[in-house]
Amino acid sequence: SLSATASNGQLQLSFPANPGRIYSWHVSSNLSSWTGLTSFVSGSSPARLSIPLSSAAPNQYYRVSSP
């Protein structure tokens, strides 16, 4: 499951990953249209992503996928 914490102006996302597997992070403001943030090959578990918090986009949703 995806977990999130916020501190020091950063949103920290993490999830249990399988090492060597390809994953992609996505973001949406409405749960209908998704934009890719980054793709990566997991080196360890949990996989993590840090995102600066922005007051310009207060409602953001995140998901992670693997092909």
Side-chain angles (χ1 to χ4, degrees):
S1 69
L2 182 64
S3 66
T5 58
S7 66
N8 298 324
Q10 295 281 313
L11 177 64
Q12 307 286 329
L13 301 172
S14 65
F15 71 98
N18 293 323
R21 190 163 188 173
I22 299 170
Y23 293 95
S24 297
W25 288 102
H26 306 269
V27 63
S28 175
S29 61
N30 58 20
L31 296 174
S32 295
S33 299
W34 292 90
T35 301
L37 289 175
T38 187
S39 294
F40 64 98
V41 176
S42 177
S44 63
S45 185
R48 302 176 195 272
L49 177 67
S50 295
I51 302 167
L53 291 174
S54 169
S55 60
N59 297 318
Q60 295 288 307
Y61 304 93
Y62 298 91
R63 71 180 182 189
V64 64
S65 65
S66 181

